[in-house]
Amino acid sequence: MIDLTFALYYAALGIGVGFIAGLVGVGGGGLAVPAFTIIFTAQGIANQEVVHMALGTSMAAMIFTTFSSMRAHYNKGHVNTILATKMASGVIVGSLIATTIASAVNGVFLALFFSLFMLYIAYKMFQPNRQKTNLRPHKTVGNTIVGTLIGTVSALVSVSGAGMIVPYLMNQNFDVKHAVGTAATVGFPLALAGTAGYLINGWQHTSPGQLTFGYIYLPAAVLFSLTSYFSAPLGVACAAHLPAKSLKKILGILSLLLSLKMLMQVIENVSG
C-alpha cells in the first residue's frame, strides 16, 4: 500500500501540473518527470532506475489526459485526421525505439538528455513565433519520418510531443487551431506506445507488491491522471485572465531548474 503522505504528493502534483498545462497550453512532462524523480527517491522506489520509473510513470499518466484532449479537439473539428494518422504511425515506431534505448541507458545520461531538452524548450519559449508560408510542405513519407523523430525524442523525455508537433504543423501551413488539435490527437497514440514500451522493456523490474509494473509506478500514474484531469479545465478557464505568454516563459525556466535538480540528485545517488 502507498503511504498516505506520498499519495497526497502525487495528487497535489497532478492538480498543479494539470492546471499549468491548461493555463499555458503545453504538456506537463517537463514538470512531472523531475518531480516524480524527486518524490520516488524520497519514497525509496527504484533507486537505480528512478529516472526510468519517472519517465514511464509520466508517460502512463498522459494516456487519459491526451485521450480527453484528442476527443475535445476532434469534436470541435480541429483535427486533420489524415495527417494525424500519418504522423501517428511514425510516433508509435519512434516511441518504441526510444523506450528500448532508454531501458539500456544509465539513468544519469537520461537525466542529462532531459535537462538539455528542457534547456532547448526554455530557449524556444523566449523566441518570437514566426509563421511563413511553406511552398513545399511534406508529403506522406516526410510526415512519417518527422513523426518518428518526434516520437523518439518525446518518449525519451516523456512528453506528449505537442511542443514539437505544433510548430512543425504550422510550418506545414496549418492554422494554429488545427495545428494544436492535430498535435493533441497524435499525442494519444504516442502516450499509448510510450507506456507500452516502458512497461515491456522494464518488465524485469515489476513488483506487484509495490504496485510497480515495468517502469510504471501505478499509484502515482493513477492519482496524477485523475487530479490533473479535473484541474486542467480550471487552467483553461483562467487562461483568458492571466498573462499566459509570460507564464509559459516562467514554466520553461521552472522546468529547466527542476530538471537540473533531478540531474544533481541522480548523480549524487549514483556516486553515493
Side-chain angles (χ1 to χ4, degrees), residues 106-166:
N106 186 284
V108 173
F109 295 109
L110 288 176
L112 177 60
F113 181 79
F114 185 91
S115 298
L116 291 174
F117 181 79
M118 285 301 113
L119 177 61
Y120 169 75
I121 293 298
Y123 166 77
K124 292 294 291 183
M125 285 184 176
F126 281 88
Q127 300 304 302
N129 293 323
R130 299 187 181 95
Q131 184 174 10
K132 299 179 180 178
T133 301
N134 189 344
L135 300 179
R136 300 181 63 182
H138 290 161
K139 296 184 179 180
T140 299
V141 174
N143 290 320
T144 304
I145 291 174
V146 172
T148 302
L149 294 173
I150 290 176
T152 302
V153 175
S154 297
L156 280 174
V157 294
S158 196
V159 297
S160 67
M164 292 175 282
I165 297 173
V166 171

Side-chain angles (χ1 to χ4, degrees), residues 213-229:
F213 299 89
Y215 287 130
I216 299 167
Y217 182 49
L218 191 60
V222 171
L223 289 169
F224 182 95
S225 296
L226 289 176
T227 53
S228 64
Y229 176 79

Side-chain angles (χ1 to χ4, degrees), residues 34 111 114-115 118 254-264:
F114 185 91
S115 298
M118 285 301 113
L254 179 60
S255 297
L256 175 60
L257 293 176
L258 280 174
S259 66
L260 292 174
K261 165 69 175 176
M262 173 184 72
L263 177 60
M264 293 300 101

